[in-house]
Amino acid sequence: MTAATHDLLNNLNPQQLAAVTAGTGPVLVLAGPGSGKTGVLTRRVAFLIREMGLRPSGLVAVTFTNKAAAEMRHRIENYLGERQRGLQIGTFHATCARILRIEHEFTPYRQDYVIYDTDDQVAAVTQALGDLSIDTKKFPPRRILHAISSAKNELRQPKDYVPEDYFGEIVSRVYPRYQQILLSSNAMDFDDLLVQMVLALQNSDVLREKYQMKFEYVLVDEFQDTNTAQYQLVKLFGLPQNNIFVVGDEDQSIYAFRGADYRNVLRFRQDYPNAQVILLEQNYRSTQIILDVARAVIDKNTNRTPKALFTTREGGDAITVHEAYDDEYEARYVIEEIETLRRKKMTYNQIAIMYRTNAQSRALEDALVRANIPYTLVGGVGFYKRREIKDLLAYLRVINNPDDRISFDRIINTPKRGIGEKSLQEFHNYAAKLNLTMLGLLDKLAGIEKVALPARTVKLFAEFADKLRDWRQQATTGTLVSLFDTLTTEIGYNLYLLSISASPEEMREREENVAQLRGLLARADDDDIALSDFLADTALMSDVDEVVTDADKVTLLTLHAAKGLEYPVVFITGVENGFLPHFRSQEELEGEEEERRLMYVGVTRAKERLFLTYAFKRTSWGGSEIREKSKFLYDVPLELIADVPAGLKHDSQSTSYRQQTTWDSGGGLNRLKQDLSRIRSLPTTETPTEPADKAPVRAPNSAIRSKILPFPGSAKTQYQAGQRVRHPMFGEGAVIHSEMDGNDEKVTVQFTDRRYGQKTLLAHLANMTLL
DNA sequence: ACGCGCATTGTTTTT
DNA sequence: CAATGCGCGT
């Protein structure tokens, strides 16, 4: 490609051009899906540097995934070549981590601080709960952690934590202790990276001025997914000249569970009244039909700026909605369609299969393997979550930072070296009593006379101390790989792996993972990366970052992971109530609106073909469960659907969401037979399951657990339409509808308070009173 | 201290 | 159906 092809201002529509060439001051770009947002952002960066003469180090660009950052950097390189050296592009977390490493003296942490992932955090909370003698049964560490994390996202320190209920009381006691454990471990969790950065900037004029001078321009992608801490950070970096360029789309805000608040878009307009607002409404990605479907889904949301999304790609294929008998048939249907597309010269890497929860990938994977279709799975149980990887990284972390208590506790007896729970507790007690660090005590333990540990155990600790000393020595002199090799040999890790592996395949898999980790270390050696930086990089690496697009494989991923990506063909599977909207979303304020946005994100990933599938029943925890199609499907105008399933057609006439499928009547059998004969003709390596095993109409028998749900509406409900109720949080309201969902009663209530509107709640959780 | 087996229990999304 | 947790026996 020539330089001319890359001309910055070529092929831009007027709005895009305005965004790329905007002057100084705050700019808010509201960009619909497929409107060329990434292109605008990258050209803007290139424009500032090439045309406005800005130093590359004079701007900071933040994205939400490392992949997005890499993509941006790559594109900018095309425009600028070598001139982009020194450019700061990264996720919020990675950007903060890098700065904090340099500026650690403005924080209570040392330079070699480590980053705790979710598992480490849970371990630390459990530790704190133990220290405070709080029952982990009554107060699950994960819930406490969530509360702490929310507080941090709001920049609330332990001392500022105001409990609102009994659970909050507990949190307010655990939070400070948790923070203490992290600090003494010289460890930050993900949230701390943001919080400590904000605190450091707020507390030190010197530091703040340094970075405000340095960053003349601040650019933020996916602005609708920022939380309070991130918003403050942007604000602080941007002062005093406020050259802040943010790009976002309220309709694609899908990270509320980690504190993201799309209202930050509104707040931005309030905080910067002179901000230039640019709307990118032209979609270059999808056909009109797909956009119409997307709009139908999102239009039901209340708190949004209506956008006039349009595309020049008029028409297009109608979308396909398919009702499958169960999850297995759903998977087979997807495969059948993939084979058909393939015959029409579509390649595998043009196809993505999406779902709401990672667990749903299982059935799809099985089917793909059987059909011999190559695929890549994004996310799931990622590489860094594997036990062997976590073990070995914990060793490296302790070598890097011997204060890391969570990692220390993980490895002290892995592989088994005879130091049990009791001895370890005693060890920590001593350290606390003598006010020594773990390393300090390790070095001294053999010399202390009155130790309540048996001499044999003291000897075991001493042996470990000797090894640790050697490793730490080697870490400062040798390469990472040589350290790794010494380490794995000396602790006999292979033997240990063999002992924990249930099968030869499992052993082989684990060995491969270890080899892969060794490969990563080798690469770090090549790039001259220090141990602490390597550890930080791995901690901040997400599974989404590993998406490879060049290999000819079908991509499997969650709807969340799909954001920012696009595919000619998209399958969204499991479009059922309970998944989409997810049942847990009912408990959250505006939860359903977020689920709609999630569906919207999924739909708008598709360029040409969109398939929505759901199943009549689904296997879960061994039993099987009758499912109902997603309420969102009723919002899709029928004329946009190629082959409307009978159930959907009937239902759309009525106002209730009563379950209707073709599977619960005689017609279902015929449909199943048709499906079977079609599937039989598929080129699979395995013989299809016998239809007898799959008889669709079967009375619930004892073999099917009580999990099987009665048809909604069939059982007696406690609440009836028309009744007035009071909810402890949402206030008064009127019951619109109520039905039984298994053993739970689902009540839809229209609340008087406009902020809450209509909500569907579970009766036994909602704690409502009849008026 | 350790390992085995049984029981329980939880079930979203991710930097 | 996992994965984890607990109690018991060695």
Side-chain angles (χ1 to χ4, degrees):
Chain A
M1 287 204 235
T2 67
T5 340
H6 292 141
D7 195 54
L8 291 178
L9 308 179
N10 261 355
N11 304 320
L12 292 176
N13 68 34
Q15 290 75 28
Q16 291 174 330
L17 185 68
V20 172
T21 60
T24 54
V27 181
L28 169 64
V29 180
L30 292 173
S35 60
K37 169 180 72 104
T38 313
V40 163
L41 212 48
T42 50
R43 285 170 191 235
R44 170 77 177 164
V45 171
F47 179 81
L48 287 173
I49 294 169
R50 210 177 74 185
E51 308 299 326
M52 306 301 284
L54 189 74
R55 292 165 298 115
S57 60
L59 64 82
V60 58
V62 232
T63 60
F64 268 78
T65 63
N66 293 303
K67 173 155 192 289
E71 168 75 19
M72 254 182 84
R73 183 179 294 281
H74 179 72
R75 290 217 215 167
I76 291 169
E77 220 167 292
N78 272 348
Y79 293 124
L80 298 180
E82 274 304 295
R83 281 170 73 178
Q84 51 90 40
R85 277 171 299 113
L87 200 59
Q88 280 259 14
I89 304 180
T91 62
F92 270 104
H93 298 268
T95 302
C96 291
R98 197 176 313 126
I99 297 174
L100 288 169
R101 187 81 63 200
I102 301 166
E103 311 291 353
H104 65 94
E105 67 260 37
F106 292 95
T107 75
Y109 297 85
R110 292 201 316 268
Q111 201 243 331
D112 59 350
Y113 73 85
V114 291
I115 300 166
Y116 275 1
D117 68 13
T118 312
D119 287 348
D120 301 323
Q121 294 182 62
V122 170
V125 170
T126 309
Q127 185 95 237
L129 288 168
D131 293 350
L132 299 167
S133 313
I134 297 170
D135 189 0
T136 53
K137 274 267 160 59
K138 282 178 86 175
F139 300 97
R142 299 200 87 95
R143 269 189 68 200
I144 306 255
L145 185 61
H146 186 252
I148 293 176
S149 177
S150 304
K152 288 187 178 184
N153 288 332
E154 293 293 318
L155 290 171
R156 206 160 300 142
Q157 296 287 95
K159 60 176 165 47
D160 309 324
Y161 191 85
V162 185
E164 283 175 2
D165 49 17
Y166 184 53
F167 185 77
E169 294 280 348
I170 299 295
V171 174
S172 70
R173 287 169 59 201
V174 180
Y175 185 7
R177 179 72 196 125
Y178 168 80
Q179 208 51 34
Q180 214 178 347
I181 291 172
L182 260 63
L183 184 59
S184 66
S185 294
N186 193 28
M188 297 195 210
D189 62 21
F190 288 128
D191 305 317
D192 285 333
L193 293 170
L194 307 171
V195 174
Q196 292 302 326
M197 189 72 251
V198 171
L199 288 180
L201 291 171
Q202 282 174 345
N203 295 338
S204 163
D205 298 342
V206 176
L207 186 74
R208 190 173 59 248
E209 277 161 26
K210 175 175 172 185
Y211 281 90
Q212 289 179 347
M213 288 273 263
K214 180 173 158 63
F215 297 142
E216 288 181 61
Y217 276 84
V218 181
L219 297 96
V220 187
D221 194 10
E222 309 279 13
F223 190 68
Q224 76 283 353
D225 282 324
T226 50
N227 59 35
T228 300
Q230 289 162 331
Y231 186 87
Q232 284 306 323
L233 201 59
V234 171
K235 210 169 176 176
L236 281 166
F237 278 151
L239 284 167
Q241 61 278 61
N242 288 337
N243 291 331
I244 306 173
F245 184 92
V246 304
V247 184
D249 178 7
E250 295 147 288
D251 292 335
Q252 293 186 65
S253 175
I254 54 174
Y255 285 104
F257 66 91
R258 64 177 209 220
D261 189 350
Y262 65 89
R263 288 181 196 80
N264 280 341
V265 174
L266 298 174
R267 203 188 298 176
F268 187 86
R269 286 171 113 151
Q270 282 161 15
D271 287 358
Y272 306 96
N274 63 331
Q276 213 186 131
V277 180
I278 297 168
L279 266 69
L280 302 184
E281 293 173 313
Q282 178 164 7
N283 176 296
Y284 295 93
R285 179 187 295 152
S286 313
T287 63
Q288 188 62 51
I289 298 250
I290 288 168
L291 277 192
D292 287 345
V293 172
R295 187 188 309 183
V297 170
I298 202 72
D299 261 355
K300 283 276 165 70
N301 274 3
T302 49
N303 291 314
R304 60 184 291 269
T305 328
K307 275 171 223 72
L309 268 190
F310 67 99
T311 177
T312 46
R313 306 190 58 192
E314 275 171 44
D317 291 330
I319 71 160
T320 306
V321 176
H322 178 79
E323 172 178 307
Y325 171 63
D326 65 7
D327 42 352
E328 202 183 321
Y329 281 104
E330 181 185 44
R332 289 188 186 200
Y333 168 77
V334 169
I335 278 157
E336 186 187 352
E337 291 298 328
I338 290 175
E339 299 290 12
T340 308
L341 290 161
R342 186 116 159 116
R343 269 177 249 124
K344 292 183 194 157
K345 301 283 178 275
M346 196 66 89
T347 57
Y348 288 134
N349 61 5
Q350 293 178 299
I351 301 169
I353 311 174
M354 301 175 188
Y355 35 79
R356 175 68 231 268
T357 68
N358 281 306
Q360 289 167 257
S361 72
R362 204 43 172 284
L364 294 161
E365 282 184 81
D366 285 350
L368 287 163
V369 168
R370 260 179 292 173
N372 248 321
I373 296 176
Y375 69 92
T376 42
L377 182 77
V378 180
V381 182
F383 179 70
Y384 296 106
K385 285 240 166 68
R386 310 305 283 266
R387 181 162 163 187
E388 54 277 15
I389 302 305
K390 293 214 68 158
D391 282 347
L392 291 169
L393 281 178
Y395 269 98
L396 292 175
R397 281 158 61 153
V398 171
I399 291 167
N400 171 243
N401 164 25
D403 291 334
D404 181 344
R405 169 149 178 194
I406 301 299
S407 297
F408 181 89
D409 286 2
R410 184 186 182 97
I411 61 164
I412 189 66
N413 206 28
T414 306
K416 300 271 177 285
R417 47 172 75 87
I419 299 173
E421 195 97 359
K422 246 343 212 340
S423 312
L424 183 62
Q425 192 56 51
E426 202 54 44
F427 174 84
H428 284 305
N429 288 347
Y430 260 99
K433 204 158 78 188
L434 304 177
N435 202 16
L436 284 171
T437 61
M438 293 189 295
L439 190 65
L441 181 58
L442 270 185
D443 286 341
K444 277 212 185 119
L445 198 63
I448 297 174
E449 273 151 38
K450 282 197 293 180
V451 182
L453 290 168
R456 190 181 60 89
T457 312
V458 172
K459 205 173 141 231
L460 293 170
F461 270 108
E463 278 167 20
F464 179 76
D466 287 340
K467 280 194 176 154
L468 183 58
R469 211 174 294 120
D470 289 349
W471 296 330
R472 282 172 58 75
Q473 176 59 34
Q474 198 176 343
T476 58
T477 54
T479 61
L480 293 175
V481 168
S482 68
L483 171 66
F484 185 77
D485 290 342
T486 312
L487 181 68
T488 45
T489 313
E490 286 189 4
I491 62 176
Y493 198 67
N494 250 23
L495 219 60
Y496 170 73
L497 281 188
L498 198 60
S499 76
I500 60 164
S501 296
S503 64
E505 300 85 70
E506 194 181 316
M507 179 62 187
R508 196 179 44 80
E509 207 176 294
R510 289 184 196 275
E511 279 180 313
E512 272 170 20
N513 288 333
V514 173
Q516 202 180 328
L517 179 61
R518 191 179 182 277
L520 288 174
L521 286 160
R523 211 165 68 195
D525 278 332
D526 288 345
D527 297 343
D528 224 14
I529 290 174
L531 180 55
S532 63
D533 289 328
F534 173 82
L535 292 172
D537 288 349
T538 55
L540 293 171
M541 188 67 88
S542 80
D543 300 311
V544 187
D545 299 331
E546 291 161 21
V547 188
V548 204
T549 36
D550 45 349
D552 191 23
K553 293 175 175 180
V554 174
T555 307
L556 266 70
L557 72 182
T558 63
L559 289 165
H560 280 90
K563 193 163 73 161
L565 306 175
E566 61 176 28
Y567 299 88
V569 182
V570 168
F571 291 87
I572 303 181
T573 63
V575 187
E576 297 152 24
N577 289 340
F579 280 142
L580 208 59
H582 194 273
F583 70 102
R584 293 285 294 245
S585 71
Q586 309 234 312
E587 296 152 26
E588 268 133 50
L589 211 61
E590 294 183 19
E592 193 170 307
E593 299 217 340
E594 173 125 335
E595 298 292 305
R596 266 185 199 281
R597 292 194 289 267
L598 205 42
M599 172 113 177
Y600 177 76
V601 166
V603 167
T604 53
R605 298 310 93 196
K607 292 163 103 162
E608 280 143 41
R609 300 289 309 274
L610 176 66
F611 295 83
L612 305 178
T613 68
Y614 57 93
F616 161 68
K617 85 173 197 185
R618 199 171 279 280
T619 42
S620 58
W621 327 282
S624 73
E625 201 177 62
I626 304 295
R627 308 283 302 177
E628 55 187 51
K629 64 183 84 66
S630 169
K631 62 203 293 186
F632 298 160
L633 283 175
Y634 296 94
D635 299 325
V636 179
L638 294 181
E639 62 269 24
L640 301 177
I641 304 172
D643 185 14
V644 184
L648 193 60
K649 212 178 282 177
H650 294 158
D651 272 8
S652 56
Q653 313 297 335
S654 72
T655 45
S656 88
Y657 294 136
R658 183 148 309 166
Q659 175 75 12
Q660 283 199 14
T661 82
T662 44
W663 300 114
D664 55 355
S665 63
L669 258 177
N670 293 332
R671 271 281 296 284
L672 182 65
K673 278 178 188 151
Q674 279 172 25
D675 260 32
L676 275 171
S677 60
R678 263 205 329 235
I679 285 154
R680 281 237 174 88
S681 61
L682 278 183
T684 58
T685 47
E686 199 180 85
T687 47
T689 324
E690 282 304 305
D693 296 336
K694 296 248 116 205
V697 188
R698 198 191 319 177
N701 59 34
S702 54
I704 300 173
R705 295 232 304 262
S706 60
K707 267 289 172 192
I708 195 162
L709 303 175
F711 281 77
S714 60
K716 278 252 166 59
T717 57
Q718 187 193 340
Y719 295 90
Q720 259 100 50
Q723 288 174 330
R724 291 201 61 81
V725 290
R726 179 190 301 284
H727 185 275
M729 201 189 296
F730 308 136
E732 274 187 41
V735 176
I736 302 286
H737 176 74
S738 189
E739 65 180 33
M740 295 306 293
D741 183 1
N743 294 323
D744 298 325
E745 180 176 355
K746 283 196 311 195
V747 198
T748 308
V749 182
Q750 177 69 46
F751 288 101
T752 324
D753 193 325
R754 295 275 294 279
R755 278 176 302 168
Y756 305 124
Q758 189 168 317
K759 289 200 148 303
T760 301
L761 309 152
L762 287 182
H764 77 281
L765 291 174
N767 197 18
M768 292 183 297
T769 45
L770 269 174
L771 296 175

